[in-house]
Amino acid sequence: MTVRPPLRAAGSAPAEPTGPPALPARWDPLVTSFLAERSVFDEVLRGFGTPVNLLFPQVFADNIDRLTAVLDASGTGYRICYAHKVNRSRALVRTAAGHGIGVDVASSGELESALAAGFTPAQIEVTGPKGEAFLRELVGSGVTVNVDNEWELQTLADLADPARPVPVLLRVSGFAGSQVSRFGIPVPRMEYALAILARHRDRLVFQGTAFHLDTGDIGERVRAADTCFALLEHAYAAGLAPTVLNIGGGLRQVFTADGDRFDDYVSRLRASLGGAGTAMSWGNNTFGYHVDGAAVRGTPIFHKYANTVPADEMLADLLNAPLARHGGRSIARVAADNLLDIWLEPGKALADHTGITVARVEFVKSAADGSVLVHVDISRDAVTPADQEVMADPLLLPGERPAPAENPVGVFLAGRLCLERDLVTTHMVWLPWLPRPGDLIVFPNTAGYHMDLSAAAAAMHPPVPKVAVLRHDGHFRAIPDADHRPTIPESPEVS
Ligand SMILES: *Cc1c(COP(=O)(O)O)cnc(C)c1O
């Protein structure tokens, strides 16, 4: 038998947190006061029923302001493009338009949404894989096309009208030390792509290079930026005049309110997977860990929920990172010195804490193994991004009857679909009392991919409605998400 590894290195064990394992979620103060006041919240529940998604455009505006402050301080020209795909909310995309930032769209539907929200074509950038029909729609429209591959570039050159040349960025991939990506033009093929651009400069206006890395790692982005600066030098040499370095999205969210409790939960979960203590996972779920007897190794699928570094700090670290090839000057400085604007495409960082999802408890039952299943009126796909496990505790709120005084109980939340896999949580969640039918479960921070990315119309359940919640002069107001039209400037009373 394998010896179970210690949960923590000797000497580093913090004081054991009291109470059951917990994953305390961070809640925005605006959201907390909305839930605490209950009056408008109860009105929303009566008007829209459950499940329901609530969006907080003022939190979104704050997120824009925080990233803007970092960029202003960096001394470089810049453009923030809100990555629309993170959420379908009208209120959020209109708030982005109202703030004068740009938008990154990845489909014809998102393009239509951005134009309807008030973006001008010059503020719109189109990313992602594009077929011929979509390219035909883009040519001559005035939007910037972030080109994914050589076929796309050549097709654009063939379709473009010299009377209305198409602004293009080239998405680069295959950076040293980065995982292979299905997107972008491999670095060694860039000479060829630049040659196409040089040949068709009457139809294609080269704006610059772009990358988007699906990682939280700063070092990878620094290497990518360094490579892009070198490619932009090649472009100047080829007679092109790029003005943009696009560093993509990937700025992270902060879900946890307590990194130590998060680590404590995870170490107890690992121990339980190895057979020690209370079982904490449903069925055979191992969350990406490799379990070999009592030995539990590897990186869990939910590691992003452990992050405690806010997006603005991550952006500042990236912009200030020194480049050896440029005498230690920072990325922001090299960009500024070369009159390059830095573009970024934050999705989840702008959506961070801008949405919550409310479901209602239908009933509670026991499974054959003794697990307590709390059935809710929502499905896993409407609160969880594909393939992940959300590691941030939901809030249990009393429905009609006041909260009882009881001891915390460890449960699994079960979804409304008649599929074995429709468990909203497959890790055990400790709730302050055994939920009763009619009690409410509030899922934190669901606007960033959780509520929209995977949500399906399975079993003919209608899509979860969206409601925008705003605070003006200390009072909350809720309206259908699609009806929110922000006035500028956005509610200055929200700090
Ligand atoms: C999805 C996507 C983004 C947004 O990513 P986040 O991680 O949400 O910031 C930005 N750029 C491109 C090209 C994308 O595909």
Side-chain angles (χ1 to χ4, degrees):
M1 215 180 124
T2 345
V3 176
R4 189 155 52 88
L7 300 180
R8 282 174 180 276
S12 74
E16 188 81 346
T18 51
L23 296 162
R26 190 174 112 64
W27 295 84
D28 188 273
L30 185 76
V31 176
T32 303
S33 15
F34 171 75
L35 292 174
E37 276 180 34
R38 239 4 235 264
S39 58
V40 178
F41 182 31
D42 284 337
E43 225 171 83
V44 168
L45 296 174
R46 278 194 298 276
F48 295 86
T50 55
V52 63
N53 287 318
L54 304 180
L55 280 309
F56 297 85
Q58 289 160 325
V59 177
F60 187 86
D62 287 349
N63 291 341
I64 295 176
D65 292 344
R66 265 195 301 276
L67 294 187
T68 303
V70 171
L71 290 156
D72 281 338
S74 78
T76 173
Y78 64 87
R79 175 185 290 194
I80 298 174
C81 297
Y82 165 50
H84 197 332
K85 77 164 186 276
V86 71
N87 198 292
R88 285 197 291 264
S89 162
R90 295 280 191 223
L92 298 189
V93 74
R94 284 191 188 129
T95 303
H99 265 61
I101 65 171
V103 66
D104 156 10
V105 300
S107 70
S108 187
E110 288 183 4
L111 175 58
E112 200 179 308
S113 164
L115 290 168
F119 286 99
T120 62
Q123 292 173 304
I124 300 175
E125 178 209 356
V126 185
T127 62
K130 310 160 199 75
E132 187 178 329
F134 193 26
L135 291 176
R136 282 183 187 277
E137 187 184 335
L138 301 179
V139 161
S141 71
V143 302
T144 297
V145 182
N146 188 330
V147 170
D148 174 72
N149 57 70
E150 291 166 35
W151 171 84
E152 193 177 309
L153 185 62
Q154 189 58 58
T155 305
L156 274 180
D158 295 343
L159 293 174
D161 176 354
R164 302 198 66 188
V166 179
V168 298
L169 293 162
L170 294 185
R171 177 156 173 189
V172 187
S173 78
F175 302 104
S178 288
Q179 275 201 334
V180 68
S181 166
R182 56 168 281 209
F183 298 112
I185 299 171
V187 175
R189 296 292 300 172
M190 279 294 289
E191 285 301 330
Y192 179 77
L194 292 172
I196 297 181
L197 286 167
R199 210 156 51 236
H200 297 285
R201 81 185 71 190
D202 58 327
R203 299 142 182 265
L204 303 177
V205 183
F206 182 49
Q207 307 263 77
T209 58
F211 62 84
H212 168 65
L213 301 173
D214 200 11
T215 164
D217 193 83
I218 295 275
E220 273 189 49
R221 283 191 178 71
V222 174
R223 283 194 296 278
D226 199 16
T227 303
C228 281
F229 282 130
L231 291 169
L232 290 166
E233 284 161 27
H234 284 284
Y236 298 132
L240 299 164
T243 55
V244 174
L245 168 67
N246 182 332
I247 60 173
L251 298 175
R252 298 174 78 182
Q253 297 178 266
V254 178
F255 287 90
T256 183
D258 187 336
D260 288 339
R261 296 234 36 189
F262 187 96
D263 291 347
D264 172 69
Y265 184 102
V266 172
S267 60
R268 294 208 222 178
L269 176 65
R270 287 182 58 163
S272 85
L273 290 171
T278 314
M280 289 169 66
S281 74
W282 172 259
N284 298 322
N285 282 285
T286 60
F287 311 101
Y289 283 119
H290 181 71
V291 180
D292 177 13
V296 180
R297 295 191 210 88
T299 307
I301 50 167
F302 52 66
H303 62 93
K304 78 172 201 178
Y305 294 96
N307 178 50
T308 55
V309 181
D312 54 349
E313 199 177 312
M314 185 173 162
L315 178 60
D317 285 350
L318 179 61
L319 294 175
N320 295 329
L323 295 174
R325 220 171 47 83
H326 294 270
R329 281 182 297 159
S330 68
I331 289 180
R333 181 70 199 283
V334 173
D337 288 352
N338 289 285
L339 305 178
L340 291 166
D341 285 352
I342 290 188
W343 287 19
L344 52 157
E345 303 160 343
K348 57 184 184 269
L350 291 185
D352 202 18
H353 296 286
T354 66
I356 58 175
T357 300
V358 186
R360 207 177 271 280
V361 174
E362 302 279 22
F363 59 90
V364 176
K365 65 183 247 184
S366 294
D369 66 352
S371 301
V372 179
L373 292 170
V374 174
H375 274 248
V376 290
D377 61 1
I378 199 168
S379 49
R380 177 181 178 91
D381 63 17
V383 276
T384 309
D387 305 332
Q388 297 199 356
E389 177 78 9
V390 177
M391 299 295 270
D393 285 342
L395 203 61
L396 175 64
L397 294 176
E400 304 297 322
R401 290 172 289 158
E406 276 179 29
N407 289 327
V409 49
V411 307
F412 297 102
L413 299 178
R416 64 179 170 180
L417 300 182
C418 43
L419 293 171
E420 283 289 357
R421 65 179 159 79
D422 193 26
L423 267 284
V424 177
T425 66
T426 61
H427 68 284
M428 191 174 277
V429 172
W430 272 263
L431 296 174
W433 68 85
L434 185 67
R436 304 151 304 173
D439 282 345
L440 300 166
I441 299 279
V442 186
F443 297 95
N445 204 7
T446 53
Y449 299 115
H450 291 201
M451 64 174 70
D452 276 348
L453 186 71
S454 324
M460 300 179 76
H461 288 294
V464 180
K466 286 191 173 72
V467 175
V469 176
L470 293 127
R471 184 167 64 186
H472 289 292
D473 305 324
H475 297 289
F476 285 103
R477 196 165 57 90
I479 53 169
D481 174 83
D483 294 351
H484 174 56
R485 291 177 201 279
T487 46
I488 306 303
E490 191 89 7
S491 43
E493 77 272 16
V494 177
S495 61

